[in-house]
Amino acid sequence: MGPVTHVTEHRPPLSPDAPAQRARSAALATAFVRGGVAAGLGLGALAVLVTAAWIASPFPDSGPGGALHTAAGLWLLAHGADLLRTDTTAGAPAPLGVTPLLLTVLPLWLAHRAARDTLDTDDGRPVPSPAGAVAAVSGGYLLVAAMVVVYTESGRLPADLVTAGVVTPLSVLAAAAAGAWTAQGRPLPGRTETVVALRAAGLALTVLLGGGAVLAAASLLWHAGDAQASLYGLAGEWSGRAAVLLLVLALLPNAVVWGAAYGLGPGFSVGTGALVTPLGFTGTPALPDFPLLAALPAEGRGTWLHWTAAAVPVTAVLLLGRLVGRAARGWSAREAVQAALVASWACGAAVALLAAAAGGPLGAGRLDAFGPVWWAAGAAAVLWGSALGVPTALAVRAWGLRGRVPRPARKEAAKPVPVPVPVGAGAAVGPLPVPAGVTEPPGAGKGAPAAEEAAPAAPAGALAALDALEALDDLDEGTGQDGYGFLPAAWEPAAGPPAPPATPPAAPEPETGAAGT
C-alpha cells in the first residue's frame, strides 16, 4: 500500500484578499436584507391603517382580504405606480394615478434610512461602496415590491405593470441614493458657483412651495362652506368622515404643488380641456365630489385678486437673484449670469418633478388629465428665473461693488522727507552711511556735540507712520479696495527689509570754525 497523500496538501493557498472579499459580500447581503425590511415596514404600517379604517367602517362588505389588497395597492401608488379600477360602469379598467404625496414620505424615508445606515456604521464592520449599497438596498426593496405587484393582481385595484416596472424602481433608487449621499456628508460640487446656484434653487423652490401652501389654504378658507358640504355629502357616519379627512390630509401636499403651479401661471387641469389659471377658469371641468376640489375658484375670467398669485414666483426669483448677487461680488458678470441661470434651471427641474408626481389620471376619458402639466410648470419656473432672477443678480452684484474703486498706486517719493526724530530714537537707528565723495567732518562719531551732527534721514518707523496716515485718508474717502486697506504698509507681508531711499541725504557743509581754521 503506497503512501497516503492528503488532499489538503494540494489545495492552492488562500488569497490575502479573500477575507476582505467575504466581508464585502456579507455587507452587501446585509444591505439587501435592510432593503427588504424597509419595504416590509412601510407596507405593514399602511396595512394597519387601512385595516383600522375597515374595522371602523359601518359597511365592511369587502372583508379583510379586500382591505389588505387595498393597502397593497395604496403602497404601490405611494411609489408612483398607477392602479387600475376594475369595478367601473363601462366595464373597462380605469386608471388611478394621482399619488397622495403624504403617503410617499414613510416608504421612501425607510429606503433612504436603509441606505444611510448601511454606509454609516460605527462598530468597525466593513461597509460596501456607495454604489454597491444603493444597488443592494434597492434590490431587496424592489423584490418585496415585485411580490406586492403580483399580490394586487387578484384584487380590485391591480397595479399597472408599466408604471410599476418603471416609476417604482426609479423612486426607490432615488431614495436610496439620497441616503448614500447623506451618509457621505452631503457633498456638493467643488465649484463655488455651482454650490451657490444649487442653494439659490433650493431657496426659490421653498418659497414657491410656501406660496403655494398659502394660496391653497386661502382658497380653502374662502370656500369653507362648499368644502364642508362636500364632506357631509360624501359620508354620513363619523368613521366615513374620518376616512375622507385622512384622504384630504394625504392630498394636502398635492394641493401645495397645485397652488405653486397656479402662481407660476400654467395652473392645473381639472379634466381634459379644463384649465385653472390666474387669468381664468376655462373649459368644462369634470369634478368629482371632494372637499379639496370644492376650493377651486369660480369659472370665468380671473380678477385682480387672482392675479396677485403672481407675487409668489416674483418673490421666489427675487430671492434667488439676491442670493446669487450677494455671492457674486468677487466674480465676473458672466459668472454671475451663469450661476443665476443654473439656479433657474435647477428650480425648474424640481418644479417639473413635483408637478409630475402631484398629478395624474383619475379615470378614463375626461378624467384622464388631472393636476399640473409638468413640462409647462417647469418651463414657467425657468422663464421666471431667467427674466427676473438674472437681472436681480446683476443688480445686487453691482450694488455690492459700489464705491469699491481700486486705490491708485502709491507714488515713490523722489527724496526722503525729513521728519523730526524723538529724543532717544537715534540710538535705535544707528549710524547713517556717509555718501561717497563727502568728507566726514572732524570729530564726527568721537563725542562731537549732538547739535553739530548731520540731520538723519527718516527712519523706517517714520515711513511706516506716513503709510498708515495715507491708508487712513483712503479709508475716510471710501476708496479702500478690501477690508484690510486701512492697515499700514509695515503690516503687509514683504519679501525682505524695506529698500533704502533712492537718493541719499546730502550731508551738511562742514563749518570752518569747527575745523579750527
Side-chain angles (χ1 to χ4, degrees):
M1 185 175 180
V4 179
T5 303
H6 296 283
V7 179
T8 56
E9 296 179 358
H10 298 281
R11 290 180 179 176
L14 294 177
S15 173
D17 297 335
Q21 293 176 357
R22 286 197 298 267
R24 285 193 294 267
S25 300
L28 290 174
T30 303
F32 188 86
V33 174
R34 284 180 184 270
V37 171
L41 289 176
L43 180 60
L46 192 56
V48 169
L49 183 62
V50 174
T51 304
W54 170 77
I55 293 174
S57 175
F59 308 103
D61 53 351
S62 59
L68 292 179
H69 277 90
T70 302
L74 289 177
W75 185 79
L76 290 174
L77 185 64
H79 293 81
D82 292 351
L83 303 180
L84 299 176
R85 291 192 298 111
T86 57
D87 54 347
T88 59
T89 56
L96 177 62
V98 178
T99 302
L101 292 182
L102 192 61
L103 292 181
T104 66
V105 175
L106 179 61
L108 296 185
W109 178 76
L110 289 172
H112 172 277
R113 183 176 179 180
R116 184 197 65 188
D117 293 345
T118 300
L119 296 173
D120 190 12
T121 56
D122 298 332
D123 52 0
R125 292 179 300 171
V127 296
S129 63
V134 170
V137 170
S138 302
Y141 199 102
L142 292 176
L143 179 61
V144 177
M147 293 187 292
V148 174
V149 170
V150 174
Y151 177 72
T152 58
E153 292 296 322
S154 58
R156 294 188 304 176
L157 290 174
D160 179 52
L161 297 181
V162 175
T163 56
V166 176
V167 181
T168 300
L170 290 178
S171 61
V172 173
L173 283 172
W181 179 62
T182 303
Q184 298 297 314
R186 298 185 181 92
L188 292 175
R191 292 192 60 184
T192 306
E193 295 85 350
T194 306
V195 174
V196 171
L198 292 179
R199 290 177 178 174
L203 176 62
L205 180 63
T206 303
V207 174
L208 281 176
L209 295 179
V214 171
L215 293 177
S219 181
L220 191 60
L221 290 176
W222 188 269
H223 301 86
D226 297 337
Q228 184 179 9
S230 176
L231 175 63
Y232 289 164
L234 284 175
E237 300 291 334
W238 68 268
S239 58
R241 293 175 183 174
V244 174
L245 286 177
L246 286 177
L247 185 56
V248 168
L249 182 64
L251 288 169
L252 282 181
N254 298 63
V256 170
V257 178
W258 288 28
Y262 181 84
L264 284 170
F268 48 87
S269 300
V270 285
T272 304
L275 193 63
V276 181
T277 67
L279 298 179
F281 190 164
T282 60
T284 303
L287 296 176
D289 191 9
F290 193 71
L292 282 181
L293 296 178
L296 294 178
E299 299 183 26
R301 296 182 60 183
T303 62
W304 65 268
L305 188 62
H306 302 92
W307 302 338
T308 56
V312 173
V314 169
T315 305
V317 297
L318 287 180
L319 291 177
L320 180 149
R322 179 178 179 271
L323 180 58
V324 174
R326 286 173 62 88
R329 293 177 181 176
W331 308 345
S332 63
R334 180 179 180 181
E335 291 173 338
V337 170
Q338 290 176 350
L341 289 177
V342 170
S344 301
W345 278 94
C347 182
V351 168
L353 182 63
L354 290 175
L362 276 182
R366 294 175 58 191
L367 291 175
D368 188 55
F370 228 79
V373 181
W374 64 270
W375 61 266
V382 173
L383 290 177
W384 277 107
S386 302
L388 285 182
V390 174
T392 302
L394 292 176
V396 172
R397 174 182 175 273
W399 180 263
L401 294 178
R402 72 190 189 284
R404 301 183 98 186
V405 182
R407 287 192 304 175
R410 187 180 291 114
K411 297 181 179 180
E412 296 292 339
K415 59 176 66 177
V417 180
V419 178
V421 181
V423 178
V429 175
L432 296 176
V434 178
V438 179
T439 306
E440 184 177 358
K446 298 180 181 180
E452 298 179 1
E453 290 182 356
L463 292 178
L466 287 177
D467 291 338
L469 290 176
E470 293 179 8
L472 288 176
D473 291 339
D474 292 343
L475 183 62
D476 292 338
E477 295 174 0
T479 58
Q481 186 176 4
D482 50 32
Y484 300 96
F486 61 88
L487 296 178
W491 290 15
E492 299 176 357
T503 304
E509 294 291 337
E511 296 182 1
T512 309
T517 57

